[in-house]
Amino acid sequence: MNEPKLDPLEIRLEETARQMAYPPTPNLAGQINRRLRKTTPRSLAILPRPAWALLALVMVLLACLSVPPVRAALLEFIQVGAIRIRLTQPTALPTLTLAPTRPAGTASPAEATAEPTLTSTSSPTARPVLDRLAGETTLAEAERSAGFEILLPTYPEDLGDPARVYSQKIGGPAVLLLWFEPSQPNLVRLSLLILTNQTLAIKGEPRVLQITQVNGEQALWTEGAHVLELAAPSDMAFEKFIVSGHVLIWTQGDLTYRLETSLDLEETIRMAESLR
Amino acid sequence: VDHSSELSDEAESIRKARQGSAADWEALVQAHQQPVFRYAYLLSGDADEAEDIAQEAFIRAYHALGRFDETRPLRPWLLRITANLAHNRRRSAARYLAALQRLVRREPATGMRIEEKTEQNLQNTSLRHAVDGLPADDRQIIYLRYFLDLTVEETAAAEGIAPGTVKSRLHRALNRLRHRIQQNFPELSEIGPG
């Protein structure tokens, strides 16, 4: 069968497709077989998956809690508002500061796993990725759908309104605000995530984890790459991704704020306390 | 290439996989993992996410294999599952944050090889961006037809539409792409007009 003649755009599309630099295709067969082998036996598959996950979690926790050292390790976490940071090692918390748990330049297993991922997925064309995200809206509309007042940083004075506003349901309403670098509009200058009743768990310790204060309330400051798990309580689904920036987490009223910047702690706190 | 023979071999592998043959299921995964992964990558723009989507697509296909008509080619069906999963994940909250992380990494675009800086490659990159900005339906049909090199019939099966509809949808998608190039990608103006 003769294919119709292609026009210049179609020819260029085919050429672009041929030159497309795809990441190497992973060998999926092994991973899929491992996952299939873990499938629950049919006779036990009466409960829906979330119920099974909950039951398994409870059983593991009960078993572990009967062993004192494990209990100490399991229960050791820090939580600010809707965001929980799990500690991988039982560590006594100083009153104000958790010093870095190991010398700078060394990596935990989680970080060792995470770093190659960071490199391999880096992309100078990140903005188009963001362009595909659903939920972009205006400040006024985000405020209306979230049902809470969106406060904006007034420091630094030249910051202005966010360049992008996204409204989503993450368990409860959530709003994500982005400001881009004026000189490099492909880069995010800062991002502010406002959550109500969602839990973000940081699995593994970041390089720096510090207890601090914002407006007199306890807050957390993290530096260094770490794996984040986003948990949606409604369906117990967990999603993992990598964090590499500096993050300040604090609460104000019923809301939890997560501010990610490249600024230092002092400047970030100043920005957090400038919300109006 | 004897497609009918390939189809018959595939149908046999599907029947055996249904009966529990791990080797046959693995052979099917091996045969289709590249287009499935690449399609997931085109739709998600991220290698890690594409791997997750591709894995999940095969898992779901495995569990639904009993309902699949083995006289039909498997690949379009797998690609359809992949597109649905990619679409659902796109709307998930984690994707906001994952995309955000990519933006805040501030990694300079170093390491680019000289040959990648040629004008034609830059134009190809622009064309990718132009396609990326199209509505999801347009993007999908362009990716299937031109990037994965599916026939009209395979594209129709992957999209769950009639072959005639593929042609009309492709026509509309290309027109929208031309319009987008004219509006936003002046460096591609020579290929923009229809």
Side-chain angles (χ1 to χ4, degrees):
Chain A
M1 188 172 70
N2 289 329
E3 289 283 333
K5 194 178 169 195
L6 298 178
D7 73 18
L9 178 57
E10 292 178 289
I11 291 169
R12 182 55 70 85
L13 279 168
E14 290 194 337
E15 196 174 278
T16 302
R18 276 196 300 276
Q19 294 180 5
M20 175 87 189
Y22 291 98
T25 302
N27 184 8
L28 297 172
Q31 300 162 17
I32 291 164
N33 283 344
R34 273 192 293 280
R35 282 184 62 182
L36 287 174
R37 274 199 296 271
K38 287 181 188 169
T39 305
T40 312
R42 193 170 295 277
S43 59
L44 297 178
I46 300 164
L47 287 175
R49 193 165 62 89
W52 262 110
L54 180 62
L55 181 60
L57 184 65
V58 169
M59 288 174 71
V60 169
L61 281 174
L62 286 175
C64 291
L65 286 172
S66 64
V67 184
V70 179
R71 181 171 58 217
L74 271 177
L75 295 182
E76 204 144 347
F77 60 81
I78 306 171
Q79 182 149 355
V80 170
I83 296 178
R84 174 178 295 185
I85 296 179
R86 272 193 231 129
L87 303 177
T88 53
Q89 298 294 323
T91 311
L93 295 181
T95 311
L96 275 178
T97 303
L98 267 175
T101 52
R102 55 190 166 277
T106 63
S108 70
E111 286 174 2
T113 311
E115 286 299 336
T117 310
L118 286 174
T119 306
S120 66
T121 59
S122 71
S123 164
T125 58
R127 190 149 176 175
V129 172
L130 196 65
D131 285 342
R132 287 195 224 158
L133 297 181
E136 186 170 4
T137 184
T138 61
L139 263 179
E141 181 56 30
E143 204 162 55
R144 192 195 62 74
S145 61
F148 55 75
E149 185 185 7
I150 299 173
L151 303 178
L152 298 176
T154 54
Y155 173 83
E157 287 174 5
D158 66 346
L159 188 62
D161 285 346
R164 300 273 183 103
V165 178
Y166 297 90
S167 175
Q168 266 250 335
K169 298 283 181 194
I170 311 179
V175 174
L176 176 66
L177 310 175
L178 302 181
W179 286 259
F180 295 118
E181 289 285 2
S183 58
Q184 292 174 279
N186 275 335
L187 294 178
V188 169
R189 184 179 184 183
L190 68 107
S191 76
L192 180 62
L193 176 66
I194 311 170
L195 297 168
T196 50
N197 61 351
Q198 176 56 38
T199 298
L200 282 171
I202 295 180
K203 184 182 179 186
E205 296 167 72
R207 183 168 54 79
V208 173
L209 175 58
Q210 187 171 333
I211 298 174
T212 182
Q213 290 194 332
V214 171
N215 293 323
E217 297 290 331
Q218 182 173 287
L220 291 175
W221 170 251
T222 74
E223 292 178 17
H226 53 272
V227 178
L228 259 175
E229 277 182 274
L230 177 68
S234 57
D235 59 4
M236 292 195 64
F238 285 78
E239 301 241 29
K240 293 180 183 177
F241 52 96
I242 310 295
V243 169
S244 57
H246 298 174
V247 178
L248 181 67
I249 303 158
W250 76 100
T251 59
Q252 201 162 310
D254 294 332
L255 301 177
T256 303
Y257 293 82
R258 179 188 182 278
L259 178 59
E260 184 163 345
T261 75
S262 57
L263 300 174
D264 62 18
L265 173 58
E266 191 177 338
E267 283 289 285
T268 308
I269 289 177
R270 194 169 168 192
M271 189 180 278
E273 292 186 335
S274 76
L275 290 190
R276 300 287 182 272
Chain B
V1 180
D2 184 352
H3 291 293
S4 61
S5 167
E6 278 180 11
L7 202 56
S8 161
D9 290 348
E10 186 172 90
E12 184 59 23
S13 293
I14 292 169
R15 276 191 287 273
K16 287 180 179 170
R18 258 191 218 132
Q19 291 159 9
S21 166
D24 281 277
W25 171 244
E26 190 167 331
L28 290 169
V29 175
Q30 297 279 5
H32 298 292
Q33 63 183 8
Q34 186 180 76
V36 167
F37 172 77
R38 288 187 169 186
Y39 191 35
Y41 179 74
L42 287 167
L43 295 175
S44 70
D46 182 86
D48 288 340
E49 200 169 344
E51 186 172 344
D52 287 349
I53 291 168
Q55 264 196 47
E56 190 61 31
F58 279 108
I59 300 275
R60 295 207 181 182
Y62 180 82
H63 289 303
L65 211 52
R67 300 192 297 276
F68 179 70
D69 174 5
E70 72 269 19
T71 61
R72 298 167 62 189
L74 187 64
R75 182 167 299 179
W77 184 58
L78 290 170
L79 294 174
R80 197 170 174 186
I81 296 172
T82 304
N84 286 340
L85 287 170
H87 180 72
N88 290 343
R89 286 175 73 101
R90 183 177 155 252
R91 303 196 69 83
S92 79
R95 186 166 163 77
Y96 281 81
L97 298 169
L100 185 59
Q101 297 311 325
R102 284 193 288 277
L103 287 173
V104 297
R105 275 176 209 146
R106 295 169 180 278
E107 292 193 13
T110 55
M112 187 183 273
R113 297 193 303 274
I114 290 171
E115 62 265 31
E116 287 177 334
K117 293 181 180 173
T118 63
E119 189 180 346
Q120 185 167 326
N121 279 309
L122 289 173
Q123 284 195 355
N124 288 346
T125 304
S126 294
L127 187 53
R128 268 284 331 266
H129 290 172
V131 175
D132 279 350
L134 290 171
D137 285 353
D138 292 348
R139 260 189 294 134
Q140 277 177 215
I141 206 145
I142 286 175
Y143 287 148
L144 292 169
R145 191 78 176 94
Y146 299 108
F147 285 71
L148 298 183
D149 208 20
L150 264 57
T151 64
V152 168
E153 288 72 24
E154 288 169 331
T155 305
E159 288 285 283
I161 54 179
T165 311
V166 170
K167 290 175 187 167
S168 57
R169 261 186 56 188
L170 205 52
H171 182 72
R172 282 198 298 272
L174 290 174
N175 279 344
R176 271 191 281 266
L177 181 58
R178 285 191 188 95
H179 181 71
R180 186 166 159 74
I181 286 170
Q182 282 176 333
Q183 296 290 315
N184 303 308
F185 296 87
E187 68 274 25
L188 297 173
S189 56
E190 67 185 75
I191 57 169

